[in-house]
Amino acid sequence: VKRKNKKRVPSFRKLLKTSKVKLDNKLKNKQFKQQSIAKKYRKEQRKLRQAVKDVTSRTSVPLEENKKKHAAEREEEEEALPLDMMDEDDLKLMEDLAQKASFVTRDLSSVEPVHAKKRKQESVIDRYEKMPRRMQTEPEKELIHLLPIKDKSGIIPQTMEKPESCEEPQPVLTTDELLIQRRRKLQEKKRHIAALAAAILSDPENSIKKLKELRAMLMEQDPNVAVIVRKLVMVSLMEIFKDITPSYKIRPLTEAEKHTKVKLKETQKLREFEEGLVSQYKFYLENLEQTVKDWKQGKIAVKCLCELLVISEMCCESVKKLFKQDKLGSVSLGVVKVISGLVKSRNYDVRPEVLKIFLHLRIKEVEVKKDAEDITAKKKFMSFKEKRKNLSRMQRKWKKAEEKLERELLEAEASESKEKKLKLHTETLNIVFLTYFRILKKVQKSPLLPAVLEGLAKFAHLINVEFFDDLLVVLHSLIASGDLSYRESLHCVLTAFHILSGQGDVLNIDPSKFYSHLYRTLFKLHAGATNDDMVIVLQCLDVMLTKRRKQVSQQRALAFIKRLSTLALHVLPNSSVGILATNRILMQTFPKTDLLLDNEAHGSGLYLPELDEPECCNAQNTALWELHALRRHYHPIVQKFADHLIAGAPAEGSEALRPDLSRRSGTDLFETYNMKGMTFNPPVASVTPRKKDKFLQGDSFVNEDLKELIQTHLSETAVHRPLDFAKHLKESSLS
């Protein structure tokens, strides 16, 4: 009977103190011990069964029964072998043996020996001779011992069957022959790749198996051509996927759709093609990701991935186009959910272009009302003249009631569509803001921050009032940290004032710190790389000064006008035009700022241009002398704006601006006169160069009228000599 293990189980605290290796060794020892005990137990049981069998074979049988048992056998033997044919000695021996019980009672059918002790006395040779022989039907295969591998259990030997050698040994090839053989293999592989690619492109829906076969060639094992073949297959698959990938999104089938039988063969065929295409494309991308780590094929894999990124750019453009065309908002909601899930699953490690897609969402109150009206079906009803002409009196009565009912139904549908659209837009914005707030909270130093701030600046007027206080605190802390770039800080300022200009105007928040930050950082703009950031500055000035005119003091307006005029001297012409257009609007919004056009000081103190606080710099004691420098600017539009501002920005008169300049904002003028194409805008008027007069010898130098006058004058003289100015020119040069 198998014994029970009485050893106590170690406590959990003791197990915690034991190392992992020691626990593994203990487990192995325990398993080995259990196997040994089980093996010993089986051996004892086998010995016991053998002993019982031996005892059973030795059990004696009564002589009478044995005689009766063998009587018939002896009669048969006597019939088969008559006694007169046996010798007397043999007959006597048989009778003596019959008298012994051990001989009679022994079971002759048993092949086991009577005395088991003889087995121990047998020699090794005897036992080997008694072992049964078997014919060797199959020859044993020779094994090749390979390098072992090691895992947690220990060293594991590795072997492989030795390939059967041909009767005729292969001849040793020279270097030239090896190169020829390799070139031939490469040509065969190239032809095979080309054939598969041509077949796939000719009929993609019926060539998924060939696409799978081509992708399997990425695992080419022939060491002579493996690297080149894999590179060729990578490039071929890249071009194939670019050509056969459909323009629509392939969604996975639901469980109900998978179990539903499709009646049309074409639909079933299309489903199989889409499923196979997606799976093969997935395996292809996984192979590229693994191959990037290989120094031999990494460059090609990276090029293929970069080429497929072109597809990603096309996808971004397609999503932007979809947002612009989606009037109701249901499709946009689905796409926003997918993008938000992707950003979260990647732990916010995505490209900024992914989040910039949100900027193209059509979620504005004006567009919502307009689109709702567009969605409403416009049904044409019959006029009174048409009814009177084509219908009877009773028919006109029924028609009137029918049209009234239809109008009521259309109004109900329009209200339902508006409510549905507002609900979809609200849900979409909640997901967008949730993504933005997670990035602001968790990964503030992420490259996604500019896209987040830009998105908040655009949709800030739609944010719930409950989040305003916390969001403004976060924005100010980001600016105060000093970790943001100039463009990112401008987005923070713009977002803050979008919040304060909308529903946030009821909040008791002092935005002076944002005014001071913008005033302090204006001089970071110049004619170099930061010139493109002027668009954000102009947007900030519009929101901070023009739209909040009631909350802006005169001192603050004077300080900004003066600093902007100074900034216009060292930026590109399009920025100068935008700044001067903004100053024009500010001077019209705050009429008392015209004192900057006067040379006399107003009030005490001196102007402190280096001070970064607009309220304390004494801007009322300075003048806009920069305008006189801008009057001599090489750009004609800058000159016009400078003259206009010096004249006091009049709305009428000779110094008034043209309507195409006066009715446009600074942001529009900045984009209009942009010089990204390295061309002068507006173009310089071309001047036709004058041709140089050619010097002709003799009379041909003079025109016909002058020649005739000279000839008349000379005819009066006695001596007539032709004019030769070339001769006189040579004489003057010699002298």
Side-chain angles (χ1 to χ4, degrees):
V1 181
K2 189 176 181 179
R3 296 181 180 180
K4 294 183 179 180
N5 189 5
K6 295 183 179 181
K7 190 175 180 180
R8 294 182 63 186
V9 179
S11 63
F12 180 75
R13 181 172 296 179
K14 189 173 181 181
L15 287 174
L16 287 177
K17 296 180 181 179
T18 310
S19 64
K20 185 179 179 182
V21 178
K22 192 171 181 180
L23 289 174
D24 293 339
N25 293 336
K26 280 188 175 183
L27 181 62
K28 291 179 183 178
N29 293 336
K30 186 177 179 181
Q31 292 175 352
F32 179 77
K33 189 173 181 180
Q34 291 176 353
Q35 292 175 359
S36 301
I37 293 172
K39 187 176 181 180
K40 186 176 180 180
Y41 177 76
R42 288 195 299 270
K43 189 174 181 180
E44 291 176 356
Q45 291 294 325
R46 188 164 54 250
K47 287 182 179 180
L48 182 62
R49 286 195 299 270
Q50 187 67 36
V52 172
K53 197 172 184 179
D54 291 341
V55 171
T56 305
S57 63
R58 295 178 195 171
T59 303
S60 57
V61 183
L63 185 60
E64 292 80 10
E65 293 181 4
N66 190 44
K67 286 182 179 180
K68 293 178 182 179
K69 181 179 180 180
H70 295 282
E73 297 179 0
R74 283 202 300 272
E75 290 177 0
E76 292 177 358
E77 290 178 357
E78 288 175 358
E79 292 177 359
L81 185 63
L83 294 176
D84 56 353
M85 295 182 65
M86 299 179 63
D87 296 336
E88 293 180 359
D89 296 333
D90 296 334
L91 184 60
K92 186 177 180 180
L93 180 61
M94 293 293 293
E95 290 175 356
D96 293 336
L97 289 173
Q99 298 297 325
K100 295 180 180 181
S102 61
F103 174 77
V104 177
T105 57
R106 182 182 173 188
D107 189 3
L108 296 179
S109 63
S110 176
V111 296
E112 297 178 354
V114 179
H115 304 287
K117 293 183 180 180
K118 291 184 180 180
R119 294 180 181 176
K120 298 182 180 180
Q121 299 177 357
E122 290 176 352
S123 62
V124 178
I125 299 175
D126 295 338
R127 279 189 275 114
Y128 178 77
E129 290 296 332
K130 289 181 179 180
M131 288 177 62
R133 268 61 168 176
R134 289 185 301 176
M135 295 294 293
Q136 187 173 1
T137 57
E138 297 181 359
E140 295 183 359
K141 296 183 179 180
E142 187 176 356
L143 299 178
I144 300 175
H145 295 277
L146 305 176
L147 292 174
I149 61 175
K150 186 177 181 181
D151 60 357
K152 293 182 179 179
S153 61
I155 298 175
I156 302 174
Q158 300 290 316
T159 59
M160 65 173 292
E161 295 181 0
K162 186 176 181 180
E164 298 180 359
S165 58
C166 302
E167 297 180 0
E168 298 180 0
Q170 295 182 354
V172 179
L173 301 178
T174 62
T175 305
D176 294 338
E177 292 174 344
L178 288 173
L179 290 175
I180 294 172
Q181 184 181 17
R182 179 177 178 274
R183 195 177 296 113
R184 186 176 66 252
K185 288 182 180 180
L186 274 178
Q187 291 297 329
E188 292 176 357
K189 296 291 184 182
K190 287 180 181 179
R191 284 194 291 269
H192 188 49
I193 293 171
L196 290 175
I200 295 169
L201 292 175
S202 61
D203 190 7
E205 295 184 357
N206 297 324
S207 304
I208 293 297
K209 291 184 179 179
K210 294 181 180 179
L211 182 63
K212 184 178 180 180
E213 182 182 353
L214 182 59
R215 188 189 59 80
M217 293 182 70
L218 288 171
M219 303 300 174
E220 179 64 38
Q221 299 298 328
D222 191 347
N224 295 326
V225 296
V227 175
I228 296 179
V229 169
R230 290 175 184 175
K231 289 181 179 180
L232 293 173
V233 174
M234 283 182 203
V235 178
S236 301
L237 285 173
M238 177 193 69
E239 297 295 336
I240 288 172
F241 282 121
K242 286 170 62 178
D243 289 340
I244 68 174
T245 302
S247 58
Y248 56 87
K249 177 185 175 183
I250 301 176
R251 65 172 181 83
L253 298 176
T254 61
E255 293 296 331
E257 290 176 342
K258 290 180 180 179
H259 297 294
T260 304
K261 292 183 178 180
V262 182
K263 296 181 180 180
L264 297 177
K265 294 183 179 179
E266 296 179 355
T267 307
Q268 182 66 25
K269 188 177 179 181
L270 181 61
R271 284 186 179 181
E272 294 175 355
F273 166 70
E274 292 174 348
E275 186 178 358
L277 180 63
V278 171
S279 64
Q280 294 304 317
Y281 186 69
K282 178 183 177 182
F283 292 143
Y284 174 61
L285 292 180
E286 291 175 354
N287 290 332
L288 289 180
E289 290 179 1
Q290 295 175 359
T291 312
V292 168
K293 303 175 183 178
D294 188 1
W295 65 274
K296 294 181 180 179
Q297 310 167 48
K299 291 183 179 180
I300 297 295
V302 170
K303 286 182 180 179
C304 292
L305 288 172
C306 292
E307 191 70 22
L308 291 174
L309 284 178
V310 176
I311 300 177
S312 68
E313 293 178 1
M314 294 171 59
C315 292
C316 291
E317 293 298 326
S318 300
V319 173
K320 293 175 184 177
K321 188 177 179 181
L322 183 144
F323 284 163
K324 292 179 180 179
Q325 295 178 352
D326 184 21
K327 293 184 177 181
L328 187 60
S330 58
V331 180
S332 301
L333 176 61
V335 175
V336 168
K337 285 182 178 179
V338 172
I339 295 175
S340 178
L342 173 66
V343 174
K344 187 178 179 181
S345 63
R346 295 286 183 90
N347 198 17
Y348 307 99
D349 186 15
V350 295
R351 298 171 62 191
E353 287 77 7
V354 177
L355 287 183
K356 287 184 179 179
I357 295 176
F358 291 158
L359 299 176
H360 298 269
L361 285 168
R362 295 183 60 186
I363 304 179
K364 294 181 180 179
E365 294 296 331
V366 177
E367 291 183 358
V368 168
K369 296 177 182 178
K370 182 179 178 181
D371 293 340
E373 294 174 0
D374 293 341
I375 294 173
T376 305
K378 295 182 180 180
K379 184 176 180 61
K380 292 183 179 180
F381 297 99
M382 295 179 67
S383 63
F384 180 75
K385 291 183 178 180
E386 292 177 346
K387 292 178 183 177
R388 191 169 185 178
K389 182 179 180 180
N390 301 323
L391 301 177
S392 63
R393 184 177 180 181
M394 185 59 68
Q395 289 176 342
R396 289 198 300 269
K397 186 177 180 180
W398 282 104
K399 191 68 176 177
K400 184 178 180 180
E402 183 181 352
E403 289 178 354
K404 183 180 179 181
L405 181 61
E406 287 182 359
R407 286 193 181 94
E408 293 177 356
L409 291 174
L410 289 175
E411 290 177 0
E413 290 177 1
S415 61
E416 289 178 1
S417 62
K418 289 180 183 178
E419 293 176 0
K420 183 178 180 181
K421 186 171 185 179
L422 288 174
K423 185 177 179 181
L424 291 172
H425 284 184
T426 304
E427 188 176 355
T428 303
L429 272 181
N430 288 338
I431 298 173
V432 172
F433 286 141
L434 181 62
T435 305
Y436 286 163
F437 294 157
R438 282 175 177 170
I439 295 173
L440 285 176
K441 183 179 179 180
K442 297 182 180 180
V443 282
Q444 292 186 356
K445 295 184 179 180
S446 170
L448 300 176
L449 188 60
V452 171
L453 295 174
E454 192 173 354
L456 288 174
K458 180 175 181 180
F459 301 114
H461 62 286
L462 300 172
I463 300 177
N464 196 339
V465 184
E466 299 175 355
F467 302 109
F468 282 178
D469 289 335
D470 297 335
L471 188 56
L472 288 173
V473 171
V474 171
L475 294 175
H476 182 258
S477 63
L478 287 173
I479 294 174
S481 65
D483 297 331
L484 301 181
S485 65
Y486 181 65
R487 187 181 183 89
E488 293 170 356
S489 65
L490 290 178
H491 279 304
C492 284
V493 174
L494 185 60
T495 303
F497 279 94
H498 271 304
I499 293 173
L500 295 175
S501 298
Q503 301 176 10
D505 56 355
V506 298
L507 300 177
N508 188 16
I509 297 175
D510 182 18
S512 58
K513 47 194 174 183
F514 294 105
Y515 281 103
S516 300
H517 176 74
L518 181 62
Y519 184 80
R520 181 171 57 252
T521 58
L522 277 178
F523 283 155
K524 291 185 179 181
L525 291 170
H526 49 76
T530 59
N531 187 74
D532 294 335
D533 297 335
M534 181 58 70
V535 180
I536 311 174
V537 173
L538 295 176
Q539 292 174 356
C540 291
L541 292 171
D542 180 52
V543 178
M544 296 167 65
L545 300 176
T546 307
K547 294 182 179 179
R548 291 175 60 87
R549 60 176 65 90
K550 295 181 180 180
Q551 290 86 3
V552 178
S553 63
Q554 183 178 345
Q555 283 294 118
R556 186 173 291 170
L558 290 170
F560 270 98
I561 291 173
K562 175 60 180 176
R563 180 156 288 198
L564 287 172
S565 300
T566 307
L567 178 63
L569 294 173
H570 54 274
V571 290
L572 291 180
N574 59 334
S575 297
S576 298
V577 172
I579 290 172
L580 294 178
T582 303
N583 277 352
R584 173 181 172 271
I585 296 174
L586 292 177
M587 292 178 71
Q588 292 177 348
T589 305
F590 303 95
K592 294 183 180 181
T593 57
D594 59 353
L595 58 88
L596 292 175
L597 302 176
D598 192 358
N599 292 332
E600 296 181 2
H602 300 272
S604 61
L606 296 175
Y607 173 60
L608 303 175
E610 72 280 359
L611 193 63
D612 292 333
E613 291 296 332
E615 299 284 350
C616 307
C617 65
N618 299 323
Q620 74 278 0
N621 294 326
T622 184
L624 298 179
W625 56 265
E626 296 88 357
L627 296 178
H628 292 277
L630 292 170
R631 291 179 71 179
R632 296 186 293 271
H633 199 279
Y634 66 89
H635 200 280
I637 306 300
V638 176
Q639 295 176 10
K640 290 180 181 180
F641 268 100
D643 292 334
H644 175 70
L645 292 177
I646 289 174
E652 297 177 352
S654 59
E655 298 298 335
L657 293 176
R658 303 193 310 263
D660 60 330
L661 297 177
S662 61
R663 295 177 181 176
R664 302 174 68 181
S665 63
T667 308
D668 294 339
L669 292 171
F670 173 82
E671 295 292 344
T672 302
Y673 295 101
N674 200 345
M675 301 175 64
K676 289 184 178 180
M678 299 304 292
T679 57
F680 193 78
N681 188 9
V684 181
S686 59
V687 179
T688 306
R690 294 188 301 174
K691 296 182 179 179
K692 295 182 179 180
D693 296 333
K694 295 183 179 179
F695 183 77
L696 301 176
Q697 294 184 356
D699 299 338
S700 60
F701 178 79
V702 187
N703 60 18
E704 294 296 331
D705 297 337
L706 183 59
K707 180 181 177 182
E708 185 177 355
L709 180 61
I710 292 173
Q711 291 293 341
T712 305
H713 179 71
L714 292 176
S715 62
E716 298 177 357
T717 61
V719 182
H720 175 69
R721 291 178 298 176
L723 294 175
D724 190 358
F725 290 98
K727 180 180 179 181
H728 294 288
L729 182 62
K730 291 179 180 178
E731 290 177 356
S732 62
S733 61
L734 290 174
S735 63

